[in-house]
Amino acid sequence: MKKITLILFNLLVINFVSNAQNKVVRLEIMGKAYTVTKVFPEEILGEYTYEGEPNKPPKVLLTKNGTGYFQPHDVKPVDIIFWIDCDENGVWRKQTGATGRYQYTLVIQYQDGGTTKNYEKGKYDLMGVMVLKDLGRAVIYGERYKKL
């Protein structure tokens, strides 16, 4: 009986920890409700550089903890917090194309580094991340690449 109780307790703890790690939150962005999480597919994390050239700005950085930066053209980087669009269970929403390419939608919130006019601190925005497995890269805004 002790073993069964211990096994059930362990399963309950594992389930609780798994759910806690994939916490889903609801955000209102531009008049639309989004369910999002900070659990990301590894393939989208990393540094994206202009046209895939090493160290060439403008860049985007996405880290595992949901922070990073977005660098507009000819402007210093703006710190961001980001989430990935998901359903109520934390399953990532992705739009799949005919060639097997797919896109995730990120919700980003600008932090320090933006101006009051553009990229204002606290403002939300959407950012698409295309995964092009056939080309071996992920792409943001059609010009910032990273190798898969």
Side-chain angles (χ1 to χ4, degrees):
M1 184 65 167
K2 249 184 176 180
K3 283 184 181 182
I4 292 174
T5 304
L6 199 58
I7 290 171
L8 288 174
F9 177 75
N10 283 338
L11 288 174
L12 188 61
V13 168
I14 289 169
N15 186 38
F16 176 75
V17 169
S18 295
N19 287 335
Q21 290 176 345
N22 200 10
K23 183 179 176 189
V24 174
V25 295
R26 184 182 163 101
L27 298 173
E28 188 82 21
I29 316 296
M30 296 178 259
K32 183 178 176 190
Y34 286 85
T35 49
V36 295
T37 184
K38 282 195 168 221
V39 177
F40 307 102
E42 285 288 324
E43 65 192 351
I44 70 166
L45 300 176
E47 185 177 60
Y48 294 73
T49 58
Y50 187 69
E51 297 179 341
E53 296 293 325
N55 301 315
K56 188 174 182 183
K59 300 178 184 181
V60 174
L61 177 68
L62 304 175
T63 66
K64 190 174 185 172
N65 68 359
T67 63
Y69 60 79
F70 161 70
Q71 183 177 19
H73 284 274
D74 302 320
V75 178
K76 66 180 183 169
V78 178
D79 293 336
I80 60 170
I81 297 172
F82 67 96
W83 300 261
I84 190 167
D85 186 32
C86 67
D87 67 16
E88 299 76 23
N89 297 313
V91 177
W92 307 310
R93 289 190 180 104
K94 70 179 180 182
Q95 301 157 346
T96 304
T99 60
R101 296 175 176 187
Y102 50 93
Q103 176 174 306
Y104 297 106
T105 299
L106 301 181
V107 173
I108 64 171
Q109 184 183 41
Y110 300 112
Q111 299 300 301
D112 293 328
T115 64
T116 54
K117 235 178 166 179
N118 297 315
Y119 320 110
E120 181 179 352
K121 185 174 182 174
K123 180 184 173 198
Y124 290 97
D125 215 340
L126 301 176
M127 177 184 287
V129 180
M130 289 287 304
V131 178
L132 313 174
K133 291 210 176 212
D134 57 319
L135 298 178
R137 63 184 175 199
V139 182
I140 294 176
Y141 296 138
E143 63 182 17
R144 296 151 203 220
Y145 309 147
K146 87 166 198 77
K147 291 182 182 178
L148 294 177

